[in-house]
């Protein structure tokens, strides 16, 4: 076996023991060297990650969901259990590409066939953890990697963890044979990444034929970013090319700021009858692990280096997660605003329809003229106000009900037509606006492009309710007993119809040219009727109240229509302060990390292959 490189790990974690301290690191006194506050801060971060949601379809959503899941796994699988037991056995996760010989290497190091090896891929179905019998209780408890079911038998279930004991493996050290990082099975690749994130020490195994593959280097860069302790095994190297290949790999490691990682080169060789590598091939690697297992201080330093690196990497990772959460909230707000803008436009159209005279045309105008009798009506305008009141009341109380009913129906039909039109237009505009937004397009369904199926029915009910409200308003404003006695129910109805006609005028009975041309004096007639009965100021009050009541009802109807969209964003909307809470939680972890003393050391726990510690 030929060994290249100048192996040593980066300096990082001090070999300090956890001391008693405040349960909340954020409240600890400056200078306190305790890890006790970290679990509380990490538990808070875990809760903030759980609360963050990324349901809207945005470019950042799927990466954020993966990041959140990975962070939660790392907290549950490694950070929290490791902080609870800094003296637990050192976990070496053996990872690498398909066919790199990971299982064969693990078997050879523990001198027993504990992990299946073979030519079929993928070989490793479920992860295998092998440890000294004295350490098995720690791994059986399930604090580390709690999401994996412990088993003492091989399993096809990738969510199980096969526990094996090997007396030849020194106490204080455990190997975990992980699935291939480039497995053709998605679940295997995901599990491999999860297991690597739970490692105190990453042992990457590659081959002379595959050491330049992209996938391993992505994971190695990730390991470097989180300050993890790393060692490399270059397997199956032709003896005649060992120096050249090892030198090239060392150059690649140095270029990625990984030049300090120990590098072990294993020559291409045959396995024995048990499928194990010859002792002379693994001798230097076995000796290196034996020295590490025998040195409690070195193991503690490796644990603290990787632990502190993982903690230090949380802050930028959580910040990216918080930005994605902020984008979710901003997208939900933008979608809501597009809907509200569409339905505000519908409301404005109704308001304009009550001002520009369009509702005084056609059937409404014809029925009104028929109801009041235009010629007779205008002749009464020449009389004095007192006589006019009597004549108008007498005329109205003596006319049959049919013209009034037809007028009321015409008003209802005109308003319902307007409401159907503006609702259809608003639904179409909202649908188009959402379709142009990636998050909105994912929330759409075809029915949203049109008003609700019962819109017409609700619009008719709205107008009828408004008409009844106008009659009640007339009764309330015309509280003069003599008026009530003389007009009776029919007069109240007739006066109410005059109020409804008047609501369609823009200036409270000061008709514009358009209204005069369109209504042929309709608003003047309505004004005369109402002024004759109530007086000028009361007329304006009646008109304003009736118009405001109608617009309020229309607004409520349009809000119900808009809610078909808004409820979708409400259901998908993440908490408005999710990003801020993630940032606060990450800051608390960072404060606790520095106060714990984990980040203050300058020791290097990994021994060099030759036996020196750096």
């Amino acid at each position: 076996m030929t060994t290249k490189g100048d192996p040593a790990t980066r300096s990082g974690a001090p070999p300090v023991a956890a001391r008693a301290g405040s349960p909340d690191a954020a409240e600890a006194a400056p200078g306190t060297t305790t890890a006790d506050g970290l679990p509380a801060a990490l538990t808070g971060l875990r809760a903030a990650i759980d609360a963050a949601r990324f349901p809207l379809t945005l470019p950042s959503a799927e990466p954020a969901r993966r990041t959140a899941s990975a962070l939660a796994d790392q907290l549950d699988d490694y950070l929290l259990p490791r902080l609870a037991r800094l003296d637990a056995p050192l976990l070496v996760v053996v990872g690498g590409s398909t066919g790199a010989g990971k299982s064969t290497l693990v078997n050879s190091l523990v001198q027993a066939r504990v992990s299946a090896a073979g030519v079929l891929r993928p070989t490793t179905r479920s992860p295998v953890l092998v440890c000294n019998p004295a350490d098995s209780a720690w791994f059986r408890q399930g604090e580390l990697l709690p999401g994996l079911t412990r088993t003492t038998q091989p399993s096809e279930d990738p969510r199980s963890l096969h526990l094996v004991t090997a007396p030849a493996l020194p106490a204080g050290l455990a190997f975990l044979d992980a699935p291939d990082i480039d497995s053709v099975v998605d679940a295997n690749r995901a599990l491999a990444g999860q297991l690597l994130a739970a490692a105190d020490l990453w042992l990457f195994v590659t081959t002379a034929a595959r050491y330049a593959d992209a996938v391993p280097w992505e994971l190695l860069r990730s390991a470097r970013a989180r300050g993890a302790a790393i060692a490399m095994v270059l397997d199956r190297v032709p003896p005649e090319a060992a120096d050249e290949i090892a030198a090239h790999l060392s150059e690649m490691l140095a270029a990625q700021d990984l030049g300090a990682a120990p590098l072990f080169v294993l020559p291409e060789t045959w396995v024995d009858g048990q499928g194990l590598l010859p002792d002379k091939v693994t001798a230097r690697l076995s000796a290196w692990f034996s020295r590490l297992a025998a040195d409690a201080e070195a193991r503690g330093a490796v644990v603290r280096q990787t632990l502190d690196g993982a903690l230090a990497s949380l802050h930028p990772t959580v910040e990216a997660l918080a930005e994605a959460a902020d984008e979710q909230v901003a997208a939900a707000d933008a979608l809501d605003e597009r809907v509200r803008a569409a339905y505000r436009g519908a409301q404005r159209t109704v308001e304009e329809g009550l001002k520009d005279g369009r509702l005084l045309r056609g059937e409404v105008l014809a029925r009104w003229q028929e109801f009041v009798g235009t010629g007779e009506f205008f002749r009464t305008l020449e009389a004095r106000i007192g006589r006019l009141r009597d004549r108008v009341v007498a005329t109205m109380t003596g006319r049959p009900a049919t013209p009034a009913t037809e007028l009321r129906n015409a008003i209802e039909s005109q308003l319902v037509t307007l409401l159907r039109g503006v609702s259809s237009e608003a639904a179409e505009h909202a649908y188009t606006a959402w379709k142009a937004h990636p998050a909105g397009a994912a929330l759409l369904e075809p029915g949203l492009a049109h008003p609700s199926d019962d819109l017409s029915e609700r619009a008719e009910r709205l107008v009828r309710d408004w008409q009844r409200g106008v009659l009640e308003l007339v009764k309330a404003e015309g509280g003069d007993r003599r008026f009530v006695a003389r007009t009776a129910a029919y007069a109240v109805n007739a006066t109410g119809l005059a109020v409804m006609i008047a609501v369609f005028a823009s200036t409270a009975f000061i008709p514009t040219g358009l209204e005069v041309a369109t209504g042929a004096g309709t608003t003047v007639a309505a004004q005369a009727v109402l002024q004759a009965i109530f007086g000028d100021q009361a007329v304006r009050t009646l008109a304003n109240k009736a118009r405001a009541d109608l617009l309020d009802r229309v607004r409520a109807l349009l809000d119900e229509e808009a809610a078909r969209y808004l409820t979708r964003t409400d259901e998908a909307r993440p908490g408005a302060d999710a990003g801020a809470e993630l940032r606060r939680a990450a800051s608390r972890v960072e404060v606790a990390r520095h106060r714990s003393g984990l980040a203050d050391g300058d020791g290097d726990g990994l021994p060099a292959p030759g036996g020196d510690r750096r």
Side-chain angles (χ1 to χ4, degrees), residues 513-529:
L514 175 62
E515 290 163 354
V516 170
T518 301
T522 298
T523 55
V524 175
Q527 178 184 13
V529 171

Side-chain angles (χ1 to χ4, degrees), residues 389-390 393 397 471-493 495 533-534:
R389 180 189 297 111
D390 294 339
V393 169
T397 56
L471 298 183
E472 294 299 323
L473 180 63
V474 169
K475 291 179 182 178
E477 293 293 330
D480 185 311
R481 291 185 178 180
R482 183 178 59 178
F483 165 76
V484 173
R486 295 175 62 182
T487 60
Y490 180 78
V492 170
N493 290 340
T495 307
I533 298 173
F534 295 103

Side-chain angles (χ1 to χ4, degrees), residues 137-495:
W138 158 248
F139 295 108
R140 279 199 309 268
Q141 289 172 359
E143 295 181 16
L144 191 75
L145 295 166
L148 300 184
T149 303
R150 271 53 175 172
T151 177
T152 58
Q153 299 295 327
S155 172
E156 296 294 318
D157 182 2
R159 301 308 301 176
S160 66
L161 181 62
H162 181 197
L163 297 180
V164 183
T165 58
L169 182 62
L173 191 67
F175 290 117
L176 198 164
D177 185 9
D180 300 330
I181 58 176
D182 56 355
S183 172
V184 296
V185 180
D186 291 343
N188 281 0
R189 291 199 308 274
L191 180 59
Q194 180 181 351
L195 297 178
L196 287 170
D200 294 313
L201 169 62
W202 293 25
L203 182 64
F204 273 89
V205 183
T206 187
T207 66
R210 306 201 52 185
Y211 68 88
D213 287 356
V215 173
W217 286 98
E218 291 178 8
L219 288 175
L220 285 168
R221 282 189 287 270
S222 173
R224 178 203 63 197
R226 48 171 290 217
I230 305 168
M232 294 284 298
V233 172
L234 180 62
D235 196 11
R236 299 176 181 170
V237 181
E240 67 276 10
D243 290 346
E244 180 182 358
I245 294 175
H248 185 218
L249 177 55
S250 295
E251 291 175 1
M252 294 180 69
L253 288 168
Q256 296 294 331
D257 194 24
L258 290 165
L263 172 60
F264 298 89
V265 180
L266 276 59
E268 190 172 33
T269 187
W270 297 96
V271 296
D272 63 19
Q274 292 184 326
L276 307 183
L277 296 170
D279 290 344
K280 65 178 182 179
V281 171
T282 60
R284 290 174 64 84
L285 183 58
S286 295
W288 185 77
F289 274 120
S290 295
R291 289 193 301 274
L292 184 59
D295 190 341
E297 183 180 342
R299 294 198 312 274
V302 172
V303 167
R304 285 167 173 77
Q305 174 185 327
T306 300
L307 182 59
D308 184 63
L311 291 168
S313 69
L314 288 177
H315 199 279
T317 305
V318 174
E319 175 57 33
L321 206 60
E323 290 176 359
D326 292 342
E327 289 179 14
Q328 289 279 314
V329 174
D333 290 343
L335 292 176
D336 283 354
E337 177 53 30
R338 293 183 183 198
V339 171
R340 293 192 176 102
Y343 284 90
R344 281 198 302 269
Q347 181 76 16
R348 285 194 299 270
T349 300
V350 173
E351 292 174 0
E352 292 167 359
L354 297 179
K355 293 178 180 179
D356 62 12
R358 77 181 71 170
L359 295 176
L360 297 175
R361 304 170 187 169
E363 185 72 11
V364 172
L365 176 60
R367 298 288 78 79
W368 166 253
Q369 291 176 337
E370 179 182 299
F371 176 66
V372 299
T374 304
E376 176 63 20
F377 193 89
F378 277 105
R379 283 194 294 273
T380 63
L381 294 180
E382 300 172 359
R384 292 187 308 171
I385 293 298
R387 290 175 52 199
L388 177 60
R389 180 189 297 111
D390 294 339
R391 291 180 60 184
V392 168
V393 169
T395 300
M396 288 184 172
T397 56
R399 296 188 64 83
T402 299
T405 300
E406 292 178 351
L407 175 58
R408 185 181 299 106
N409 291 341
I411 293 172
E412 177 182 334
S413 176
Q414 192 84 311
L415 282 173
V416 169
T417 298
L418 176 63
L419 293 177
R420 281 202 303 260
V422 298
S423 297
S424 295
E425 186 176 4
E428 182 179 351
H429 287 170
Y431 190 92
T432 301
W434 270 28
K435 193 173 183 180
H437 193 292
L443 295 175
L444 286 175
E445 62 178 27
L448 290 174
H450 312 285
S452 301
D453 292 340
D454 64 344
L455 185 280
S456 293
E457 178 184 340
R458 289 187 291 123
E460 292 168 3
R461 186 164 56 248
L462 178 154
V463 176
R464 288 194 295 269
D465 289 346
W466 172 69
Q467 289 175 331
R468 283 192 291 270
V470 170
L471 298 183
E472 294 299 323
L473 180 63
V474 169
K475 291 179 182 178
E477 293 293 330
D480 185 311
R481 291 185 178 180
R482 183 178 59 178
F483 165 76
V484 173
R486 295 175 62 182
T487 60
Y490 180 78
V492 170
N493 290 340
T495 307

Side-chain angles (χ1 to χ4, degrees), residues 3-17:
T3 303
K4 294 292 182 182
D6 184 14
T9 57
R10 286 187 301 282
S11 62
V16 295

